[in-house]
Amino acid sequence: MSPDDVDGLLARTRFSDEGLVPAIAQQWDTREVLMMAWMSRETMRETLETGRAVYYSRSRQERWAKGDTSGHTQSVHEVHLDCDGDTVLLLVDQQGGACHTGDLTCFDADAIVLTIEGDS
Amino acid sequence: MSPDDVDGLLARTRFSDEGLVPAIAQQWDTREVLMMAWMSRETMRETLETGRAVYYSRSRQERWAKGDTSGHTQSVHEVHLDCDGDTVLLLVDQQGGACHTGDLTCFDADAIVLTIEGDS
């Protein structure tokens, strides 16, 4: 993408008072939601410019290039900004498991199915 | 689900200092990510107990029963908590568009496709 596109998307993104925006990573082909993490303006720019997902670790208070330790990188295919500009959706190609536990997604381990009246 | 299940899931959820947790709503069959919003402990409990998505509006600082105004409610099929308990994923059946703009999802209007070297 062109530098203008990067600047435009960043200008439309509403970062929090902490300077962060939540980013949802979704596997582009299976559409599984893999994880949710945070991006600073700088790591969002790096993601857009390099095509590799780079987040900001709130616990470590530092740039977090996904996969640097695990090898489980994310190639970014598409970046969507939501209607009020305060959430990012990334369509990615995940290498290996997205979760530090080894699971494919961070949402695999703790799930509850609701029984809804009227459903069969 | 049983009251014990509700209490257990709420006990495992890590709410922010503001008392909120981000909740991603995904259409259960097409797997489209519809929106991201926030839940308080009370509205997450209501969601789990009633099977209808109820959020907390940060801008209005009040309970927000999705669809009360628009009719565009969400029936909740599954609730997933992520590996560190600080993000919720809802698999829902969306009535009408999820977005207040009329779009099916809040991520439809502002999307950028990255050209990734090596992709064909």
Side-chain angles (χ1 to χ4, degrees):
Chain A
M1 44 189 302
S2 77
D4 279 357
D5 289 339
V6 173
D7 289 342
L9 198 71
L10 287 169
R12 293 193 297 278
T13 305
R14 286 171 54 203
F15 294 90
S16 70
D17 292 344
E18 296 172 287
L20 301 177
V21 66
I24 302 162
Q26 181 180 29
Q27 177 65 28
W28 74 277
D29 49 359
T30 64
R31 304 281 158 166
E32 280 186 287
V33 175
L34 300 168
M35 54 181 277
M36 201 281 276
W38 298 80
M39 287 182 170
S40 64
R41 184 179 298 272
E42 292 69 30
T43 65
M44 186 169 163
R45 177 181 288 281
E46 185 177 349
T47 298
L48 292 166
E49 290 180 343
T50 66
R52 177 184 165 191
V54 182
Y55 300 99
Y56 185 86
S57 167
R58 291 189 303 171
S59 55
R60 295 193 306 273
Q61 293 276 304
E62 64 181 19
R63 173 183 173 276
W64 165 34
K66 172 83 180 149
D68 262 1
T69 306
S70 64
H72 297 173
T73 54
Q74 296 172 340
S75 296
V76 180
H77 289 211
E78 296 178 26
V79 179
H80 297 246
L81 197 60
D82 80 344
C83 54
D84 52 6
D86 65 2
T87 306
V88 175
L89 174 66
L90 308 170
L91 293 189
V92 307
D93 192 23
Q94 172 72 51
Q95 301 301 307
C99 190
H100 72 285
T101 62
D103 285 343
L104 175 61
T105 95
C106 292
F107 298 97
D108 286 351
D110 198 355
I112 287 179
V113 176
L114 275 67
T115 304
I116 302 171
E117 208 174 342
D119 275 15
S120 57
Chain B
M1 44 187 305
S2 78
D4 280 358
D5 288 340
V6 173
D7 289 342
L9 196 73
L10 287 168
R12 293 193 296 280
T13 304
R14 287 169 55 205
F15 294 89
S16 71
D17 292 343
E18 295 173 286
L20 302 177
V21 66
I24 302 162
Q26 182 180 29
Q27 176 66 27
W28 73 279
D29 48 1
T30 64
R31 304 280 158 170
E32 280 186 287
V33 175
L34 300 169
M35 55 179 278
M36 202 281 276
W38 299 80
M39 287 182 169
S40 65
R41 183 180 298 273
E42 292 68 30
T43 65
M44 186 169 161
R45 175 181 291 281
E46 185 177 350
T47 299
L48 292 165
E49 290 179 346
T50 65
R52 176 182 166 192
V54 183
Y55 300 99
Y56 185 88
S57 167
R58 292 189 304 172
S59 56
R60 296 194 305 272
Q61 294 275 305
E62 64 181 20
R63 172 183 174 277
W64 165 34
K66 172 81 179 152
D68 262 2
T69 307
S70 63
H72 296 173
T73 54
Q74 297 172 340
S75 296
V76 181
H77 288 210
E78 296 178 25
V79 179
H80 297 247
L81 197 60
D82 81 343
C83 53
D84 51 7
D86 64 4
T87 306
V88 174
L89 174 65
L90 308 170
L91 293 189
V92 306
D93 193 21
Q94 173 72 52
Q95 302 301 308
C99 189
H100 72 285
T101 63
D103 285 342
L104 175 60
T105 94
C106 292
F107 298 98
D108 286 351
D110 198 354
I112 287 180
V113 177
L114 276 66
T115 305
I116 301 171
E117 209 173 341
D119 274 16
S120 57

